[in-house]
Amino acid sequence: MDLRQVYIFAPPAEMLLRLLGTLEEVRLLSGERQPAAVQVRLSEMIAVLATLVADALMKLGRLDQARMWYGTARAAADDAGGIELRSRIRVQAAMLPYYYGPLERAASLAKDARLLNRGRATSTGAFAAAAEARALARLGDVEGARTAVRQAIELFDHAPAGPADDAWAFPRRRLLLYLSGAFTALGEVREALRVQQEALALYPDRTGIDPALLRLEEAMCLVHQRNPSEACELASSAYLAVPEELRTEILGVRTKEVIRIMPARVRETRAARQLGELLALPTGRM
């Protein structure tokens, strides 16, 4: 099976070894004298593999290394020269500051990707607009976020359909994940819950990282609806439902966000304290 298909389901730590091994093979080939067309193809492969390495490191919370690998991916994409790839690398890199900060950097990278795409109806264009939407929503730019949401939906609806089982694709379930982030941050609970349920239906076993992120955003919606106890219960369930090898730092960050958006007095309730205590436990002692 192709690495990009395996990546969707395999634990990030496991994928790192496989990706780095393949990347070394490609790097050795690129160091040899090659025809120009072959060299471009090798640069494209390095850009994709380096991005997946960075993504795995990001999920594991190894942020400095992730930033370095995103830089490697960007340099390789710029060397290859294709607009589609250059745009995709930038929007992929926006995930790191979206989850770990600063949010302004996430919005900037997504905007750069969107501008590179030049309004073309591609999955990358939809990806860039959706990434910009959820970053702007968390920054409080309501109108900017709503405009980006509309653009993401329009571009996605007019883009050629891509594969659903490829880590480099942007299928409907990922669009819905990004829209969930935007609607949740905007406090548009009805729309957020709608896209969350539609997205979860596209994950048959509902046990991976993305389904957990969707359920955590559902918990945030419960906070907006002033149901903090239910929110904490759902967040705990979503976090613990993920297999331990997939229960990485990125889930901890989003689970803490459920507590962070609560009013100060609510963060002192028993339910919120118990959720915080759960997150403080070392892996393997849940």
Side-chain angles (χ1 to χ4, degrees):
M1 187 181 289
D2 186 275
L3 279 177
R4 283 162 42 174
Q5 293 176 296
V6 176
Y7 187 87
I8 297 174
F9 308 104
E14 175 186 315
M15 285 306 305
L16 273 177
L17 295 176
R18 299 182 65 172
L19 289 165
L20 289 170
T22 303
L23 190 56
E24 179 61 14
E25 294 176 11
V26 177
R27 188 192 67 79
L28 290 173
L29 286 172
S30 68
E32 300 174 1
R33 187 176 180 85
Q34 303 285 358
V38 173
Q39 192 62 55
V40 167
R41 179 60 183 145
L42 290 171
S43 292
E44 291 172 346
M45 293 174 66
I46 290 172
V48 172
L49 289 166
T51 298
L52 294 179
V53 168
D55 186 76
L57 290 166
M58 176 196 70
K59 289 174 180 174
L60 294 168
R62 292 158 64 175
L63 307 187
D64 289 340
Q65 290 173 294
R67 289 189 189 96
M68 181 189 71
W69 279 102
Y70 277 128
T72 298
R74 184 168 177 169
D78 289 347
D79 185 57
I83 291 176
E84 174 80 10
L85 183 62
R86 291 172 62 208
S87 178
R88 176 58 66 98
I89 296 299
R90 283 158 175 78
V91 69
Q92 290 279 159
M95 283 192 282
L96 179 64
Y98 176 77
Y99 287 111
Y100 299 97
L103 281 169
E104 292 82 1
R105 178 61 175 162
S108 176
L109 282 167
K111 180 180 179 180
D112 287 348
R114 177 175 59 80
L115 293 176
L116 272 172
N117 184 68
R118 300 174 185 172
R120 293 175 300 141
T122 65
S123 61
T124 295
F127 189 0
E132 188 175 9
R134 68 177 189 173
L136 291 175
R138 288 183 64 192
L139 286 167
D141 184 349
V142 175
E143 289 309 310
R146 288 174 176 164
T147 298
V149 163
R150 289 192 294 269
Q151 184 176 26
I153 294 171
E154 181 179 359
L155 291 175
F156 186 88
D157 287 346
H158 289 88
D165 58 348
D166 185 335
W168 203 250
F170 190 66
R172 183 165 184 79
R173 63 173 181 259
R174 290 199 70 200
L175 171 69
L176 294 169
L177 171 65
Y178 277 65
L179 295 182
S180 168
F183 290 135
T184 299
L186 289 171
E188 297 180 6
V189 173
R190 181 180 297 180
E191 280 300 292
L193 293 174
R194 180 185 65 80
V195 299
Q196 287 156 14
Q197 292 309 306
E198 184 181 347
L200 284 169
L202 299 175
Y203 293 92
D205 58 8
R206 300 192 177 193
T207 59
I209 292 176
D210 283 359
L213 292 173
L214 286 160
R215 295 184 68 208
L216 289 170
E217 287 174 351
E218 183 181 350
M220 293 176 199
C221 288
L222 288 171
V223 174
H224 291 314
Q225 292 178 318
R226 300 181 182 179
N227 293 313
S229 295
E230 291 180 44
C232 291
E233 183 178 346
L234 177 56
S236 297
S237 172
Y239 185 76
L240 292 174
V242 178
E244 189 171 318
E245 65 272 16
L246 295 175
R247 202 184 301 151
T248 55
E249 183 66 20
I250 195 170
L251 290 180
V253 166
R254 287 304 273 168
T255 307
K256 290 174 185 175
E257 184 73 4
V258 176
I259 301 172
R260 191 197 67 78
I261 65 174
M262 293 177 179
R265 61 179 177 77
V266 177
R267 291 198 295 269
E268 298 303 318
T269 62
R270 180 180 180 183
R273 290 200 310 271
Q274 287 178 334
L275 179 57
E277 290 166 2
L278 171 66
L279 294 172
L281 291 175
T283 302
R285 290 176 54 189
M286 304 294 181

